[in-house]
Amino acid sequence: MKRRDFLTLSAGTGTAAALAACGSSGPSNSGGSGGAAGAASYWALSGQPSEPIRRAAIDRFNKANPSTQITGTYFANDAYKQKIKTALGAGEGPSIIFNWGGGGLKTYVEAGHVEDLTDWFAQNATVKDKIIPASFGAATVNGRIYARPVESVTPIVLFYNKRVFDQVGVQPPQTYGDILDLVPKFNAKGIAPFSLAGQSRWTNMMWVEFLLDRTAGSDVFNRVFAGEKNAWSDPAVLDSLTKVQDLVRADGFIKGFSSITADSSADQALLYTGKAAMMVHGSWSYGLQKANGGDFVSSGALGYMNFPPVDGGKGDPSNALGNPGQYLSISTKATPEQKEIAKKLFSTTLLEDEEIKGWVGAGYVPVLKGSETQLSTSPNADFLKFVYDTAVNAKLFAQSWDQALSPTASETLLDNIAKLFQLQISPQQWVDAMNGVIGK
Amino acid sequence: MTMLAPPAVRVTELPTTDRGRGRSVVWMALPALVAFLSFGLIPLLGALGLSFTTWDGIGNIQFTGLDSWKAALTDPGLPHTLAVTFEIMILSWLVQTPISILIGVFIAGRQRYRGLLAVLYFIPLLLSSAAISITFKAILDPNFGLGSGLGIGVLNQDWLGDPTLAIAVLIFVVSWQFIPFHSLIYQGAVRQIPTALYEASQIDGAGRLRQFFSITLPQIKYTIITSSTLMVVGSLTFFDLIYVLTAGGPGDATRALALAMYQKGFMANLMGPASCIAVILVLVGVALSQLLRRLGGRGDESQMEGM
């Protein structure tokens, strides 16, 4: 084709398209950029090892459904949290919204941004029955389900470095009292008892959560979550906060912990390099230790356990804390076609064998009931069985506080926890500050 | 960060014919005006409007009068945040200004090696604040950083985990990044000073120190005002640096206004109070730059003092 012909042709089609667009009186989503009606958008998190598993699932869906495509976009964790809020606020959000359930999901629900999936789950009981029931708690707002639990259950556990324990000649702690006894022993050898990425703040929060849970059980936080006035003014809270500050004063955490970020995985490195003996962290840490720690995991040097009971505490030591799952919601702004595509994704591709293999291989426990058999054949079988048992045998699997609370209350919580660890405020000041944002 | 540059050239009288002059000047200002309106004034008015509302950034915007202002102004953290902001502003000015002037005067010489040095000095300015912060964070890491790697005890401090040290590090990094820029401004100003002044003072027997204090400093008075305005107003907008380096920590030791605004708006979903902080930032910025203008004396007096 000669250049002139090409130009004429392209100009011609351009005009035709413009005319067609002007003349269209049908539904606004027909026409336009070709095939838009048959495509839904999906936003999720980037990063190893999860992103390839997510990408592969979307690819499989697109291959199986050539007429209805899903376009995936992947963002870094913290960037995504800001991006999704702004996008939803501006009405530019994706059709399928990745989220963490809890307080964040509640704000979407209250603003009318996500579809009520209760009836859909009732009609698709097979989908619902496969999923670990504990995962639905964070997807439920006012008794209605607004998200499909996906991916993996990740409780928070206590990791430890067996090599360092052998070197110092001590045993893993059975109670919180044992932890306190271990602190001076490790410090005497120049090893930090606990690794902690304090700048990230939610890392510190896990300590407050566990100490309160093991001291008094889940009642206190349930009252806070329910918006009960002055719910933090429970003696058990003061007790737990005092324990935190005592541990900080006893040099329980690594020097400079308040300037370490979890994003850089420096806290993980402290554990596998033996600079720190123990670390309280999400079960996803296993994958990071395995990927970055050389032979640390493969040689069996990584130890793990549920957070031990506090002596004299009323909390059930089987209670677990963390993320009972990740969640996908459907945008109310999506077209009917896009919603259908999303529902098709929810009932087919997600957590089918191929995807389960991906999660298990990367060291994750899928949010599925009865997946023990798949777990036991994995190279990470021991750890995965431990995580599965922790999640399934837990009398209660509580969602992390910062996810469970509204963003407003959560920011105040993290801010005050950072100050608590910095010894900038007293436990009583913490309680007063937090009582001020109950129900907000 | 954004820099508010004063007009480089003051247009007083154009040596052309009167016909159509006013119109052409308006035309020339149009692109800048459009940019200022769309990226300066309109968002500013938007923030002002939002400051009278309650909005979580996702749902509906509700007009709630002065509620957000009450919340922002009675926030128990506000005095501390303001104090940190001014502390960073004053300390960074105190550190940067003398060093910038000295370097500026030094590299104003015409020797070739000084030209080379000027280029080297300039490198930090070419790097992004985020990259600089990540680099310094890695160097200062108490466990994997330079101090612990080389086994140098003095360097192995809890640089970013101690409130006082964290502020000091912040000032150091800010200075490291921006001194080159201000040195360059001073270099230009010093080169503008007529050599006749120095020759005359030499004949009168003035030494180098006397020349510096009696000729150089008074002659670059307006440059000091300009550079200080940039430093002071610029320091109000330090965000990326603090966010990456300390995230406002430890605790809230380095939480300046711009970071507090971000945390209120985008992390706590309180767009109303966050907009109030934004408006406060603008007001403080305008007030400070006006104050500096006043301190600098009347703008229309001759810069060629004593000539």
Side-chain angles (χ1 to χ4, degrees), chain A residues 228-431:
Chain A
E228 194 179 300
K229 208 162 178 274
N230 294 329
W232 288 110
S233 301
D234 189 299
V237 177
L238 281 181
D239 184 21
S240 311
L241 299 176
T242 309
K243 284 197 176 86
V244 166
Q245 292 200 322
D246 288 347
L247 193 57
V248 172
R249 288 199 186 93
D251 293 326
F253 301 104
I254 185 127
K255 177 185 167 193
F257 69 85
S258 51
S259 62
I260 300 172
T261 53
D263 294 359
S264 63
S265 291
D267 49 347
Q268 318 282 332
L270 287 168
L271 186 71
Y272 62 68
T273 55
K275 286 180 196 278
M278 298 172 274
M279 176 177 70
V280 172
H281 210 106
S283 61
W284 58 84
S285 167
Y286 178 87
L288 295 171
Q289 305 272 349
K290 198 177 170 188
N292 304 328
D295 72 339
F296 181 61
V297 174
S298 59
S299 68
L302 177 68
Y304 37 82
M305 63 173 81
N306 200 348
F307 195 89
V310 168
D311 318 64
K314 286 185 288 183
D316 191 312
S318 79
N319 280 358
L321 275 162
N323 300 342
Q326 288 75 44
Y327 298 90
L328 291 182
S329 297
I330 302 177
S331 168
T332 47
K333 304 279 190 301
T335 63
E337 291 87 347
Q338 288 170 334
K339 287 177 188 169
E340 276 315 305
I341 298 172
K343 285 171 182 166
K344 203 194 276 177
L345 174 75
F346 283 13
S347 60
T348 58
T349 319
L350 290 178
L351 289 178
E352 285 181 346
D353 286 350
E354 197 71 12
E355 193 189 336
I356 294 173
K357 229 181 272 171
W359 289 113
V360 171
Y364 289 87
V365 171
V367 290
L368 290 179
K369 279 194 265 187
S371 56
E372 295 104 316
T373 44
Q374 277 124 321
L375 302 181
S376 62
T377 56
S378 148
N380 310 311
D382 289 346
F383 180 73
L384 292 179
K385 187 176 176 325
F386 160 74
V387 171
Y388 185 82
D389 289 347
T390 306
V392 174
N393 299 338
K395 204 156 206 184
L396 184 110
F397 195 130
Q399 192 185 21
S400 291
W401 290 351
D402 58 341
Q403 311 279 7
L405 292 173
S406 75
T408 306
S410 160
E411 176 60 24
T412 311
L413 174 81
L414 294 172
D415 184 32
N416 280 285
I417 284 179
K419 287 181 189 162
L420 182 82
F421 271 75
Q422 204 56 35
L423 308 178
Q424 282 178 344
I425 53 171
S426 68
Q428 187 59 50
Q429 287 170 311
W430 191 97
V431 167

Side-chain angles (χ1 to χ4, degrees), chain A residues 82 85-86 88-89 107-108 111 113 199 201 254-261 266 269-270 273 275 407-408 411 415 418-419 422 424, chain B residues 56-59 137 141-144 148 156-158 160-161 163 244-247 250-253 255 262-263 266-270:
Chain A
Q82 312 307 329
K85 261 190 247 176
T86 341
L88 287 178
T107 58
Y108 301 163
H113 282 297
Q199 197 182 81
R201 309 187 299 180
I254 185 127
K255 177 185 167 193
F257 69 85
S258 51
S259 62
I260 300 172
T261 53
L270 287 168
T273 55
K275 286 180 196 278
T408 306
E411 176 60 24
D415 184 32
K419 287 181 189 162
Q422 204 56 35
Q424 282 178 344
Chain B
D56 62 3
I58 304 171
K137 202 168 158 53
D141 188 291
N143 300 298
F144 300 106
S148 105
N156 200 8
Q157 303 287 330
D158 186 8
L160 296 167
V244 180
L245 214 51
T246 66
D252 57 0
R255 183 181 299 154
Y262 172 79
Q263 287 176 327
F266 293 98
M267 295 177 84
N269 279 15
L270 297 168

Side-chain angles (χ1 to χ4, degrees), chain B:
Chain B
M1 74 174 242
T2 40
M3 294 247 182
L4 301 171
V9 180
R10 187 184 299 275
V11 180
T12 42
E13 201 76 43
L14 286 177
T16 51
T17 53
D18 277 340
R19 186 167 45 87
R21 199 184 70 207
R23 212 176 300 151
S24 72
V25 169
V26 170
W27 268 108
M28 284 155 71
L30 202 62
L33 203 65
V34 168
F36 176 67
L37 277 178
S38 44
F39 299 113
L41 209 57
I42 293 175
L44 182 63
L45 291 175
L48 189 65
L50 275 182
S51 74
F52 296 105
T53 65
T54 298
W55 185 37
D56 62 3
I58 304 171
N60 296 322
I61 304 176
Q62 288 167 314
F63 180 79
T64 48
L66 290 174
D67 281 7
S68 288
W69 278 98
K70 259 181 226 157
L73 294 176
T74 56
D75 183 340
L78 185 70
H80 173 78
T81 308
L82 279 172
V84 169
T85 310
F86 283 108
E87 190 182 352
I88 292 174
M89 176 189 293
I90 292 167
L91 285 176
S92 65
W93 184 85
L94 280 176
V95 172
Q96 287 184 77
T97 304
I99 300 179
S100 301
I101 292 177
L102 288 177
I103 294 180
V105 169
F106 173 71
I107 57 178
R110 303 279 177 184
Q111 294 90 333
R112 195 168 283 171
Y113 77 93
R114 293 190 186 183
L116 187 73
L117 278 181
V119 171
L120 289 178
Y121 284 143
F122 205 65
I123 288 174
L125 194 74
L126 304 176
L127 307 173
S128 88
S129 297
I132 290 174
S133 309
I134 292 171
T135 311
F136 272 101
K137 202 168 158 53
I139 292 174
L140 297 173
D141 188 291
N143 300 298
F144 300 106
L146 203 61
S148 105
L150 299 177
I152 304 171
V154 192
L155 272 180
N156 200 8
Q157 303 287 330
D158 186 8
W159 291 111
L160 296 167
D162 176 273
T164 318
L165 284 179
I167 291 268
V169 168
L170 209 62
I171 302 298
F172 175 81
V173 177
V174 165
S175 307
W176 187 82
Q177 187 180 10
F178 291 110
I179 281 178
F181 172 74
H182 294 282
S183 306
L184 201 75
I185 298 184
Y186 285 119
Q187 180 202 33
V190 171
R191 285 192 176 161
Q192 293 291 316
I193 303 172
T195 44
L197 288 176
Y198 292 102
E199 286 161 9
S201 70
Q202 233 163 6
I203 293 165
D204 292 343
R208 284 197 152 190
L209 216 58
R210 183 65 196 265
Q211 283 183 345
F212 176 75
F213 283 107
S214 302
I215 301 172
T216 314
L217 269 189
Q219 288 291 325
I220 60 170
K221 182 175 149 194
Y222 292 105
T223 311
I224 297 177
I225 299 290
T226 306
S227 150
S228 300
T229 309
L230 289 174
M231 276 181 204
V232 162
V233 177
S235 78
L236 285 177
T237 64
F238 286 155
F239 168 76
D240 36 11
L241 208 80
I242 302 180
Y243 183 69
V244 180
L245 214 51
T246 66
D252 57 0
T254 54
R255 183 181 299 154
L257 271 179
L259 186 73
M261 173 180 79
Y262 172 79
Q263 287 176 327
K264 270 250 171 344
F266 293 98
M267 295 177 84
N269 279 15
L270 297 168
M271 287 296 173
S275 303
C276 298
I277 299 181
V279 174
I280 294 173
L281 265 174
V282 172
L283 293 179
V284 172
V286 170
L288 281 171
S289 56
Q290 284 305 311
L291 185 76
L292 282 165
R293 266 181 67 97
R294 292 281 154 77
L295 283 179
R298 285 155 50 84
D300 52 3
E301 71 189 26
S302 167
Q303 200 165 352
M304 293 285 125
E305 223 164 292
M307 292 289 279

